[in-house]
Amino acid sequence: MTGGMTAKLFLHGVPDSPAIWSPLLDALALGDTPVAVPALPGFTGPLPAGFAATKEAYADWATGEAAALAAQHGPIDIVGHDWGALIAQRVAMLRPDLIRSWTVSNAVIDPDYRGHRVARIWNTPLLGEAFMAISRPGALARGLIDQGVPADIAQEEAAQWALKDKRRAILKLYRSAHGLSFAHDWALDLDRLPSAGMLVWGAGDPYVELSVAQRFAANRAMPLTIIGDAGHWAIAQRPHAVAAALHAFWNSL
């Protein structure tokens, strides 16, 4: 199977939904390539009954998504942004047989990263709930637009912020990771990552600095594509640059 026709699985992060991938998917122009762009459970609708919304629960769910796609089309290319990047790496660790390649954007499992300010707030009982209670969709939309997210996508993401289950899921997810600390669990398995991986990073990310990506890439001998004039949401802010990096990577395999 050629790189262009390998099935693709795209995993979004927080506070996003599958809509965040629209600019990149348009730029990639994947045509008849099988593509799956699922919503993380609880992010666009009610949390499924019994779903714990922990990092392990999301990793298990994503592994199921990858397995279903690979069962139909063979080993897949998995791409993740933000929390979707962390989950994508975990899937690749747990089931390398399902993965032809993995790419992460603006988040990576790093034992030395301790999380950004909002992650620490969400990780704190009562303080996280208070933050969620006063957060308003309009403020979220403005913040996303300020970070380069197209206005129509920002408005869609903001409308979903009104979902109580989404906010509940986010708190559970961050607390299951102690904010964003993986030193004592997922980071211990970094040697299990398949070698066919790549990092794509918006140079001006205020949440996960470029130095985190540079350290990971150097320590693991992984290729890193830096997207200038972009921040945390480089996938939506400069989709053609990200698409070019992805196509070059996939075609090199």
Side-chain angles (χ1 to χ4, degrees):
M1 183 180 291
T2 66
M5 289 303 293
T6 301
K8 319 295 185 193
L9 175 61
F10 294 84
L11 299 176
H12 69 83
V14 176
D16 301 314
S17 75
I20 200 67
W21 293 112
S22 297
L24 179 59
L25 291 173
D26 288 344
L28 284 168
L30 291 170
D32 294 332
T33 300
V35 173
V37 194
L40 271 62
F43 275 60
T44 59
L47 275 167
F51 188 78
T54 62
K55 70 183 196 300
E56 304 300 344
Y58 281 106
D60 289 345
W61 163 81
T63 300
E65 295 289 314
L69 198 58
Q72 296 182 61
H73 306 289
I76 68 170
D77 296 322
I78 190 169
V79 183
H81 171 257
D82 187 83
W83 254 105
L86 307 175
I87 294 167
Q89 283 194 310
R90 188 57 175 166
V91 172
M93 292 174 183
L94 295 174
R95 291 293 307 275
D97 57 303
L98 303 176
I99 305 300
R100 188 184 80 116
S101 77
W102 56 268
T103 301
V104 295
S105 179
N106 289 87
V108 69
I109 297 172
D110 181 285
D112 298 318
Y113 180 64
R114 292 295 177 264
H116 50 79
R117 181 181 66 86
V118 176
R120 292 192 290 272
I121 290 172
W122 285 340
N123 187 49
T124 305
L126 300 181
L127 182 60
E129 280 78 3
F131 182 97
M132 290 296 188
I134 64 174
S135 297
R136 294 292 180 265
L140 176 61
R142 290 190 295 274
L144 290 172
I145 292 169
D146 288 345
Q147 288 290 320
V149 176
D152 58 336
I153 296 175
Q155 294 293 345
E156 182 174 344
E157 306 283 13
Q160 293 162 356
W161 192 248
L163 299 171
K164 289 183 179 179
D165 274 7
K166 181 166 188 168
R167 285 175 281 160
R168 287 176 51 219
I170 290 170
L171 292 181
K172 290 181 177 182
L173 177 58
Y174 275 82
R175 289 171 186 177
S176 73
H178 307 290
L180 281 170
S181 176
F182 297 92
H184 302 294
D185 43 42
W186 287 8
L188 299 176
D189 295 328
L190 283 170
D191 287 342
R192 296 170 62 183
L193 273 174
S195 59
M198 179 179 71
L199 286 69
V200 178
W201 222 267
D205 190 336
Y207 303 106
V208 192
E209 288 141 347
L210 178 59
S211 60
V212 175
Q214 291 170 323
R215 179 174 64 230
F216 186 96
N219 289 343
R220 297 276 154 189
M222 291 288 175
L224 165 63
T225 298
I226 299 171
I227 308 297
D229 299 321
H232 187 69
W233 282 272
I235 58 168
Q237 189 175 7
R238 293 200 58 203
H240 290 281
V242 176
L246 282 168
H247 277 306
F249 174 55
W250 291 333
N251 290 335
S252 74
L253 300 175

